[in-house]
Amino acid sequence: DVMGQLFGMQQNERQLADNFGIDRCLIVSGDSDQQQKVIEEFGNLLDEALHSCLPDGQNIIAIMGGTTIANAAKQLTNLKSTKRQNLFVPARGGIGETVNLQANSVSAEMAARSNGTYRTLFVPEQLSAVTYDSLLKEPAIVEVLNLINQANCVVHSIGRALHMAARRKMSEEDILMLKQKNAVAESFGYFFDEDGKVVYKIPRVGLQLKDVRNIPYIFAVAGGKSKAKAIQAYMKNAPQQTWLITDEAAANEILRGV
Ligand code: G3H
């Protein structure tokens, strides 16, 4: 097949993909914990993968934020096909990151690098339930939420649970709860234990995990020895169509244990 020729599959890539029951793994040499270049390479692979997978016509690409995707986004160059319209949307609103790491910012960056367009979803962090509910009735917000529901592609990373909880300034009480529930991984604002079971979800609008299962193109980008456990936990129940873009350091650590 064309994908096979393009990305060739190394033995460890096949082994990791089989282990997780997913379509494909792409493994970059090195350790993204130590080398920024590895994250650039994630970006190049993501660019090629999007370019070869996404169909002509309208694509709606839902993006999650974080340092990995924000840096990988800078490598997009191949998506400028005139046959394809790329609309980038943040996958979920307001899960608590600094501005440059937010899904809104990364969507804008990706759009700029691929002749695409983007929409933003501004949902402030600290809102009363009443304000939140009325905000969700705003036409501008409803419009973006409808687009998110029509996404045919999602790009996300995977983080370590407690690290993400601290970075997003979750309360002491919530962090204690995550510890008690043995949360090890975080993605999409969901927290997972080492069996890949959801133990907590940040209550925010946008893409929900059950919707992700129906999205045809899913790219998970995460590496580094420090994330091995988190990647393994999330990937246990990841949708089969997921492509995992990772590095040798994480892959070796995971394959050592299987
Ligand atoms: O959900 C996962 C996090 O967004 C990962 O963040 O790329 O900064 O490690 P990171």
Side-chain angles (χ1 to χ4, degrees):
D1 75 80
V2 179
M3 298 289 159
Q5 284 163 16
L6 192 61
F7 294 103
M9 258 227 263
Q10 299 160 18
Q11 203 206 333
N12 57 349
E13 292 178 328
R14 188 176 301 276
Q15 219 182 330
L16 200 58
D18 288 350
N19 182 248
F20 293 142
I22 58 168
D23 286 348
R24 196 156 293 241
C25 282
L26 301 172
I27 301 177
V28 175
S29 306
D31 183 348
S32 58
D33 285 341
Q34 317 281 343
Q35 303 147 288
Q36 182 67 22
K37 262 191 81 73
V38 175
I39 299 180
E40 283 170 28
E41 194 50 30
F42 289 166
N44 292 330
L45 288 178
L46 176 66
D47 188 40
E48 286 172 38
L50 287 168
H51 182 54
S52 54
C53 291
L54 293 182
D56 290 345
Q58 177 73 58
N59 289 282
I60 301 182
I61 304 160
I63 300 294
M64 288 299 302
T67 57
T68 313
I69 306 298
N71 285 304
K74 297 182 180 144
Q75 306 304 316
L76 297 198
T77 53
N78 266 311
L79 282 172
K80 293 183 178 158
S81 158
T82 48
K83 292 195 197 130
R84 204 189 279 126
Q85 288 83 49
N86 301 313
L87 171 59
F88 294 88
V89 290
R92 292 191 80 197
I95 57 171
E97 292 273 24
T98 53
V99 166
N100 61 328
L101 298 183
Q102 281 171 14
N104 280 324
S105 317
V106 182
S107 300
E109 169 97 31
M110 287 194 176
R113 290 182 187 274
S114 63
N115 284 349
T117 53
Y118 69 96
R119 297 298 170 82
T120 48
L121 182 63
F122 286 113
V123 186
E125 304 296 313
Q126 312 293 343
L127 286 182
S128 66
V130 176
T131 313
Y132 191 67
D133 287 345
S134 62
L135 194 67
L136 296 187
K137 296 194 185 97
E138 282 295 322
I141 294 202
V142 171
E143 194 212 337
V144 181
L145 292 177
N146 285 338
L147 289 170
I148 293 169
N149 283 332
Q150 294 165 48
N152 65 332
C153 177
V154 55
V155 178
H156 69 92
S157 188
I158 302 158
R160 288 174 289 150
L162 299 178
H163 175 84
M164 294 310 299
R167 188 169 96 192
R168 290 179 181 156
K169 303 200 169 49
M170 286 172 69
S171 68
E172 288 298 320
E173 207 184 337
D174 282 347
I175 291 178
L176 189 63
M177 174 274 296
L178 290 173
K179 283 182 186 158
Q180 279 161 351
K181 293 185 169 176
N182 299 314
V184 295
E186 187 278 348
S187 196
F188 300 102
Y190 288 77
F191 289 84
F192 305 83
D193 67 14
E194 60 175 20
D195 296 322
K197 207 176 98 226
V198 175
V199 294
Y200 180 70
K201 167 193 165 182
I202 300 175
R204 282 292 177 272
V205 292
L207 206 60
Q208 308 298 309
L209 201 57
K210 64 173 174 30
D211 308 324
V212 175
R213 301 218 158 254
N214 300 321
I215 294 184
Y217 306 100
I218 305 176
F219 299 93
V221 188
K225 192 174 178 193
S226 66
K227 278 192 180 180
K229 245 188 152 166
I231 295 169
Q232 188 164 28
Y234 171 78
M235 292 309 300
K236 280 205 174 138
N237 285 324
Q240 190 208 309
Q241 67 273 32
T242 305
W243 283 33
L244 172 66
I245 300 177
T246 189
D247 60 23
E248 255 178 345
N252 290 345
E253 188 75 6
I254 293 165
L255 289 172
R256 208 197 317 275
V258 300

